[in-house]
Amino acid sequence: MSEKPTRIALVTGAAQGIGRAIALRLAKDGLDVAINDIASKLDELTALSNEIKAIGTGRKSSVHTADVSQEMEVKKMFEEVVETHGGLDVMIANAGIAISKSFMGTTVEEWDRIFAINARGTFLCYQYAGKQMIQQGRGGRIIGASSVLGKNGVNQDLAAYAGTKFAVRGITQAAAGELGRHKITVNAYAPGLINTSMAQGLDENAQKNHNWQPGDFAKWVSDRSILGYNGQPEDIAGLVSYLASDEAHFITGQTICINGGTYCD
Ligand code: NAD
């Protein structure tokens, strides 16, 4: 019996946090993993790529710096990934930023910047992944990063961010509808607060904007969850691992809550 070919994944925003945990988890699951982040994160990406290669004999990994909001950079990244690995089976459009601003305090420049990275970046990565997967004709998995704030936008400090994460849900449904006949599933994760640099930044902003003490923001969120604690990047990586697996073939168009019960839908 012939062995199944090794699948190839691309993870954006992989230098740290949730993207890093996803890249490591997919490599442990047996995929070759191409990783992306912005150019200033090259050292972190190179170290992660070496860590991935050390996971098992023959495990392949490559580094592709690109700003996901720039179409030409995204196009080049996909060309490099396909040239290096021979194809693409799993796309994780994880890269994103947060801007801690109220609705009334958000400027047009801030709105445009966060939508360029979180929404346009996701649209571009889904679209280029879709083109490659359709051309290959062997199906695929596309997975994006929404948020609990893409389900419930009521948070006085993250107005534009919530808009971008609702956009990710919409793009996920639209892409799923169009790509399903090609056996490509499209889903997103909607995490609650996960212990990363982004969460640290939100905590620092709460200190600045509301005179909160260090750690108060994380506690404020965990106090509102059913389980009483916040998540770790590996929790999201576990969900992504399942969504990328053969077993998840019947799940598409979904944005899946993973938030300890801070919000239930
Ligand atoms: P993080 O800030 O720790 O990491 C995000 C990574 O994305 C960084 O390495 C950053 O350099 C990269 N990035 C930013 N802009 C980029 C661009 N234009 N092109 C390529 N890479 C870029 O964040 P995280 O907490 O690991 O979050 C990962 C994703 O999950 C984000 O989309 C975020 O919005 C989402 N999310 C996070 C949380 C949380 O609590 N941490 C909750 C819900 C959703």
Side-chain angles (χ1 to χ4, degrees), residues 80-91:
E80 282 174 13
V81 170
V82 172
E83 198 180 301
T84 308
H85 298 277
L88 180 71
D89 301 287
V90 176
M91 172 73 227

Side-chain angles (χ1 to χ4, degrees), residues 13 16 18 37 41 66-68 94 96 146 161 165 191-192 194 196:
Q16 63 190 45
I18 294 171
D37 211 291
K41 299 280 172 74
D67 176 342
V68 296
N94 167 76
S146 181
Y161 180 82
K165 295 304 182 179
I194 306 298
T196 67

Side-chain angles (χ1 to χ4, degrees), residues 17-256:
I18 294 171
R20 180 184 150 80
I22 291 171
L24 284 168
R25 176 60 192 263
L26 293 179
K28 284 176 192 152
D29 290 345
L31 282 80
D32 288 340
V33 187
I35 50 176
N36 152 272
D37 211 291
I38 49 178
S40 60
K41 299 280 172 74
L42 181 59
D43 289 351
E44 291 89 336
L45 284 178
T46 306
L48 174 61
S49 188
N50 290 334
E51 209 177 316
I52 289 172
K53 287 182 212 155
I55 282 173
T57 319
R59 179 67 49 250
K60 295 193 187 77
S61 174
S62 56
V63 168
H64 309 271
T65 56
D67 176 342
V68 296
S69 69
Q70 301 303 315
E71 181 170 16
M72 285 309 112
E73 295 188 31
V74 172
K75 183 172 183 288
K76 186 165 165 277
M77 169 174 76
F78 276 84
E79 285 166 0
E80 282 174 13
V81 170
V82 172
E83 198 180 301
T84 308
H85 298 277
L88 180 71
D89 301 287
V90 176
M91 172 73 227
I92 315 294
N94 167 76
I97 61 164
I99 296 178
S100 286
K101 281 290 186 82
S102 68
F103 174 72
M104 294 303 285
T106 302
T107 66
V108 168
E109 290 72 25
E110 288 163 342
W111 175 270
D112 285 348
R113 174 160 183 262
I114 196 167
F115 266 82
I117 296 172
N118 294 8
R120 190 206 298 161
T122 301
F123 158 72
L124 288 171
C125 288
Y126 279 20
Q127 199 179 61
Y128 277 90
K131 276 184 203 164
Q132 178 61 29
M133 289 171 184
I134 289 171
Q135 194 191 318
Q136 291 169 179
R138 59 179 195 241
R141 298 276 189 270
I142 298 177
I143 299 165
S146 181
S147 167
V148 64
L149 285 159
K151 299 267 181 164
N152 177 10
V154 183
N155 179 309
Q156 63 171 12
D157 281 335
L158 287 157
Y161 180 82
T164 66
K165 295 304 182 179
F166 268 77
V168 170
R169 266 175 80 192
I171 298 163
T172 298
Q173 291 181 3
E178 209 165 304
L179 298 175
R181 294 303 156 102
H182 298 278
K183 295 201 167 18
I184 300 165
T185 66
V186 190
N187 295 290
Y189 40 93
L193 193 68
I194 306 298
N195 186 15
T196 67
S197 296
M198 184 177 282
Q200 186 60 38
L202 298 178
D203 194 74
E204 283 160 16
N205 277 308
Q207 293 169 46
K208 208 167 57 193
N209 298 339
H210 307 299
N211 285 328
W212 286 15
Q213 295 302 306
D216 276 359
F217 179 75
K219 185 168 180 316
W220 180 78
V221 179
S222 63
D223 281 351
R224 276 152 190 78
S225 85
I226 291 172
L227 296 176
Y229 56 86
N230 297 318
Q232 299 299 328
E234 291 71 23
D235 299 327
I236 309 306
L239 171 61
V240 169
S241 166
Y242 176 68
L243 290 173
S245 73
D246 288 347
E247 225 178 344
H249 66 93
F250 200 48
I251 303 175
T252 198
Q254 307 303 317
T255 293
I256 298 171

